[in-house]
Amino acid sequence: MQPETFDTVILGAGAAGMMCAIHAASRGGRVLVVDHARAPGEKIRISGGGRCNFTNIGTAAKNFLSANPHFAKSALGRYTQYDFLALVEKHGIAWHEKTLGQLFCDNSAKDIIAMLLHEMDRAGCELRLATTLVSLERDESGFAVTLGGDGTARIHCRHFVVACGGKSIPKMGATGLGYQIAEKFALGVTETRAALVPLTFGEDVLSGFREIAGVAADARVTCGKAAFEEALLFTHRGLSGPAILQISSYWREKQPIRIAFLPGQDIHAALVSAKRENGRRAIPTVLADILPKRLAAHLAEVHGWAGPIGEASDKKLAAIAETLQGWEVYPIGSEGYRTAEVTLGGVDTAGLNSRTMEAKAVGGLYFIGEVVDVTGWLGGYNFQWAWSSGWAAGTAIAERAA
């Protein structure tokens, strides 16, 4: 029995895979997308609280981590956030901008999935779900592919695209399959770890955090040279919130993180003013004017900030301000891939063509999206990398088919 023939097989019906399929088929190439899940775009569906933070209006290469910080520039520069936004608007999807340039659907993330499926259908792509990759071998004219599950088949293709993501959120079926494929064809894989993930702490710190679990506060969180000003959230397991998720991509074991509450404000001046206005007020009460009440009470208790503010010397008030804007804590780990939004690291970009996403040493083999060692900040950047890298590979494939 002869195998089915496709120009391109794409492993992964996520953001990058579907975008790649749309463009790979744009000039008539026969394209098949396969995914082990029973629905396409599952990570899109759950993203942004169900409204999909589909891009960031300020996307630039500086918003990404990679062993090669220049690698992402080509794809991001040729298919930009404005290009994807034009596609969204073409489909009449209402959207809004939130803080720091983040763009969300007004209605539902399902609108983005429907848009991609419509474009795939219009381009003539075939989609097979509940289908697994059994084997992948290279031959003289392309790749021999064996599929299992609902889409059991033997297939031959000229181009094979790996778009199956990283290890984050294993309950959704995430695995390290993309890295295994890379290693099978002798491509390097950089160290991988959970990123955009809450940080955990030892019992000595955690016992205090439990008292204020659920409290959020604006802060500037720093690790090494990286710093982010957004909200942080105290949890029963440690720290979360946007500022913590962002810094988690830079944090390594045994490193401290520094937390500055009320960044940009002169806390010392505020305390001196409060002392002058009403010296009889207790220090915790004064702190509750500028910090969440439970957080103010907790910090005052931990550090012994008690008594009327009028009895505190200026030196003590300066020390309180310094502590509030220079609190150093040592995480012991993260919550791991279970809750991580993305995987840091991946297929080494040294082995890929930045313009086409094709493996330099294996013609016809492509890697796109999260599986590659390109990881964006929180806020729509990783989706933009999916759109841009998927477009780059799909366009390159279409040009060869023309």
Side-chain angles (χ1 to χ4, degrees):
M1 182 176 174
Q2 291 295 315
E4 295 181 75
T5 301
F6 287 87
D7 294 295
T8 306
V9 172
I10 300 171
L11 182 64
M18 289 193 282
M19 177 61 84
C20 181
I22 292 163
H23 293 280
S26 63
R27 299 191 183 183
R30 193 175 182 216
V31 175
L32 170 66
V33 180
V34 300
D35 199 296
H36 67 274
R38 295 197 172 275
E42 282 294 86
K43 267 193 155 181
I44 299 174
R45 181 182 61 80
I46 67 169
S47 67
R51 291 194 174 180
C52 188
N53 180 192
F54 57 81
T55 192
N56 192 295
I57 207 67
T59 300
K62 68 180 182 180
N63 306 120
F64 296 83
L65 290 80
S66 174
N68 178 0
H70 302 290
F71 180 84
K73 290 180 179 178
S74 176
L76 292 171
R78 290 182 297 127
Y79 189 87
T80 71
Q81 57 271 40
Y82 300 102
D83 293 314
F84 189 76
L85 183 56
L87 180 62
V88 168
E89 293 185 330
K90 172 187 169 185
H91 282 260
I93 298 173
W95 59 274
H96 60 278
E97 181 177 347
K98 294 183 73 174
T99 58
L100 303 174
Q102 302 170 55
L103 305 190
F104 288 78
C105 297
D106 283 358
N107 180 35
S108 169
K110 293 178 182 178
D111 293 341
I112 299 294
I113 299 172
M115 175 189 78
L116 295 169
L117 290 174
H118 174 82
E119 291 289 328
M120 284 174 60
D121 185 63
R122 193 169 67 88
C125 304
E126 184 174 337
L127 174 63
R128 296 185 192 176
L129 300 169
T131 299
T132 56
L133 177 69
V134 175
S135 66
L136 174 66
E137 302 295 336
R138 195 181 186 199
D139 59 27
E140 66 281 355
S141 59
F143 298 89
V145 183
T146 304
L147 301 176
D150 290 357
T152 300
R154 288 176 57 240
I155 290 170
H156 189 272
C157 61
R158 290 176 57 198
H159 309 281
F160 190 90
V161 183
V162 180
C164 52
K167 299 177 181 177
S168 61
I169 318 184
K171 70 179 181 181
M172 295 181 64
T175 68
L177 177 59
Y179 312 134
Q180 295 168 24
I181 294 172
E183 290 168 345
K184 173 183 174 68
F185 290 98
L187 274 75
V189 177
T190 67
E191 177 191 4
T192 57
R193 58 192 177 91
L196 300 184
V197 63
L199 297 176
T200 58
F201 293 80
E203 188 59 33
D204 56 330
V205 176
L206 200 56
S207 59
F209 283 3
R210 291 195 187 101
E211 298 175 7
I212 49 175
V215 173
D218 291 334
R220 185 172 194 265
V221 181
T222 304
C223 183
K225 295 181 179 180
F228 294 91
E229 286 189 19
E230 292 189 69
L232 63 75
L233 174 70
F234 292 88
T235 75
H236 290 284
R237 294 179 294 275
L239 290 172
S240 187
I244 296 298
L245 299 187
Q246 296 279 37
I247 211 67
S248 71
S249 296
Y250 295 84
W251 175 79
R252 304 289 267 185
E253 288 187 9
K254 298 183 180 180
Q255 279 187 306
I257 62 172
R258 288 177 64 86
I259 297 170
F261 295 110
L262 304 172
Q265 294 190 36
D266 189 337
I267 294 180
H268 179 236
L271 294 176
V272 170
S273 177
K275 175 181 177 180
R276 187 184 310 116
E277 291 173 5
N278 187 350
R280 291 175 294 179
R281 298 182 74 204
I283 292 175
T285 304
V286 172
L287 292 177
D289 289 341
I290 58 175
L291 292 169
K293 186 175 180 179
R294 286 170 58 201
L295 176 60
H298 170 75
L299 292 173
E301 181 179 356
V302 168
H303 295 287
W305 300 332
I309 193 168
E311 295 178 6
S313 65
D314 281 355
K315 182 177 181 181
K316 180 175 181 177
L317 296 182
I320 292 173
E322 185 177 348
T323 299
L324 291 176
Q325 296 194 311
W327 186 24
E328 189 171 86
V329 288
Y330 282 79
I332 62 168
S334 78
E335 292 194 7
Y337 293 114
R338 180 182 65 84
T339 60
E341 297 205 11
V342 292
T343 303
L344 190 69
V347 177
D348 194 339
T349 59
L352 302 178
N353 182 313
S354 64
R355 186 170 183 82
T356 65
M357 306 304 296
E358 185 177 21
K360 294 176 181 177
V362 188
L365 180 64
Y366 302 76
F367 293 84
I368 59 176
E370 187 182 346
V371 74
V372 179
D373 176 27
V374 175
T375 306
W377 291 359
L378 183 72
Y381 299 102
N382 287 294
F383 272 128
Q384 186 57 47
W385 170 243
W387 314 135
S388 297
S389 60
W391 175 91
T395 300
I397 290 168
E399 288 175 350
R400 289 188 176 183

